[in-house]
Amino acid sequence: MKKILAFALAALCAGAAFAQTYPTKPVRLVIPFPPGGSNDVVGRMIAFQLTDRLGKSVVVDNQGGAGGIIGTEAVARATPDGYALLLISVAHAFGASMYKLPYDPIGAFAPVSILGTGPVALCVNAKLPVSSLADLLALAKSKPGELNYATAGVGSFQHLSSALFKLQSGLDIVHIPFKGGGPAMADTVAGNTQIVIGSLIQMLPLINSGRLKILGVGSGKRVPALPDVPTISEGGVPGYEATNWWGIVAPAGTPRPVIDKLHKELLTILATSETKKRFESEGGEAVQMSSDDFGRFIVSETAKWAKVVKEAGIKPE
């Protein structure tokens, strides 16, 4: 017993000493999606500021492919020393329900910190003759099976948030999947599809330019960037909530003192007015919680979206 305690104490001291000098070289932040999406926007913003806080470069490494699986697996298999971090989003929470993964999405990682949240926006083609969500609900009910909704593809966040909307509203609307959020939004702008639900952080430029008409946001409260836009729950689908979120995890086994150091620096970044304003300007919100609470949050989100996948009968293609 004494030997076990001595070993544990030595390991703790070694970890604390390592954290005092960490980092001594550049840190790699893997974003498991291509450049340009909301994950990339948030990841680069945080990496830039974390570089200043740590005194060493935090290098963004976009490893897209297979719906985020390739980059995520790379970090799951990385040495747990704090030099390989992973930017995750809500997509991480429903991956296990959609695919057979080569890693445990919960057990393979140590949660570091949530960064922020951003609701979905329910938008329609600018020329569609509706001015509110109530109007859209009435129109869709009067024309069952005639209105289409575009998504970034089967199993995407756009698809799941749309499926949740369809389940809770009871509407008969038709899914039109695309290969990416950009094409889905472009098709709705063109009027070939009438409805698109996706991350507000991606859709805000199209909303501000008038190319898409927003009818509601998927958060529990209205967002500062669009104070006059009601929540989807307020607008006529009570209880609807679909929010993207972003956070950072490390490989399981990363020393706790390193996790704590990263968490402390990230909390400092998230508390700055610059970061808060940046999230708000993009329709999101900077969020702070403990590493352990973030871990519990990931578990709860995984359960929520697993239920949506099952009830909607979504199968990967």
Side-chain angles (χ1 to χ4, degrees):
M1 184 67 178
K2 289 183 178 180
K3 288 184 178 180
I4 294 174
L5 290 173
F7 178 79
L9 181 61
L12 181 63
C13 291
F18 180 73
Q20 288 179 354
T21 58
Y22 169 87
T24 59
K25 60 183 181 181
V27 175
R28 184 167 56 106
L29 176 62
V30 174
I31 299 177
F33 294 97
S38 63
N39 295 276
D40 192 57
V41 171
V42 173
R44 289 181 183 278
M45 174 179 67
I46 295 299
F48 178 78
Q49 296 181 76
L50 192 56
T51 291
D52 286 341
R53 296 294 309 174
L54 294 177
K56 293 291 180 181
S57 295
V58 177
V59 181
V60 170
D61 180 8
N62 292 93
Q63 292 193 33
I69 293 175
I70 292 175
T72 303
E73 183 182 12
V75 177
R77 296 181 181 278
T79 302
D81 56 7
Y83 290 99
L85 305 175
L86 177 71
L87 190 289
I88 66 170
S89 64
V90 69
H92 188 81
F94 52 71
S97 301
M98 295 294 304
Y99 309 104
K100 184 176 181 180
L101 301 175
Y103 50 83
D104 180 344
I106 304 296
F109 301 97
V112 178
S113 178
I114 193 170
L115 302 173
T117 61
V120 298
L122 189 158
C123 294
V124 296
N125 173 264
K127 295 181 180 179
L128 196 70
V130 298
S131 57
S132 67
L133 181 54
D135 289 345
L136 177 65
L137 294 173
L139 178 64
K141 287 176 181 177
S142 70
K143 297 182 177 182
E146 293 186 30
L147 297 185
N148 301 325
Y149 64 95
T151 76
V154 174
S156 66
F157 180 49
Q158 285 188 346
H159 185 199
L160 269 70
S161 56
S162 299
L164 179 62
F165 173 76
K166 185 176 178 180
L167 285 168
Q168 293 188 342
S169 66
L171 296 182
D172 180 5
I173 50 180
V174 181
H175 179 210
I176 307 296
F178 290 84
K179 292 183 178 180
M185 291 186 288
D187 200 69
T188 306
V189 168
N192 299 317
T193 45
Q194 293 77 43
I195 306 165
V196 62
I197 300 176
S199 293
L200 177 58
I201 195 171
Q202 286 182 289
M203 301 171 73
L204 197 56
L206 293 174
I207 294 167
N208 289 337
S209 67
R211 287 179 285 174
L212 283 176
K213 187 189 304 182
I214 184 169
L215 302 182
V217 292
S219 49
K221 59 183 180 180
R222 299 191 182 196
V223 300
L226 298 166
D228 296 328
V229 177
T231 67
I232 294 172
S233 183
E234 285 180 286
V237 186
Y240 180 88
E241 189 167 344
T243 304
N244 199 354
W245 49 264
W246 306 272
I248 291 178
V249 297
T254 299
R256 184 70 195 209
V258 172
I259 297 292
D260 291 342
K261 182 172 184 175
L262 287 166
H263 181 259
K264 178 182 177 181
E265 300 299 349
L266 287 168
L267 286 188
T268 300
I269 291 169
L270 294 169
T272 64
S273 58
E274 176 189 354
T275 302
K276 289 179 179 179
K277 288 179 181 177
R278 179 68 186 276
F279 270 107
E280 288 180 2
S281 70
E282 301 283 1
E285 179 181 14
V287 176
Q288 295 191 21
M289 64 176 67
S290 71
S291 297
D292 291 341
D293 283 345
F294 181 39
R296 285 186 280 270
F297 174 79
I298 295 171
V299 171
S300 68
E301 282 285 282
T302 300
K304 170 184 175 176
W305 291 109
K307 184 178 179 182
V308 173
V309 169
K310 182 178 180 180
E311 290 184 358
I314 297 173
K315 303 291 184 183
E317 291 185 342

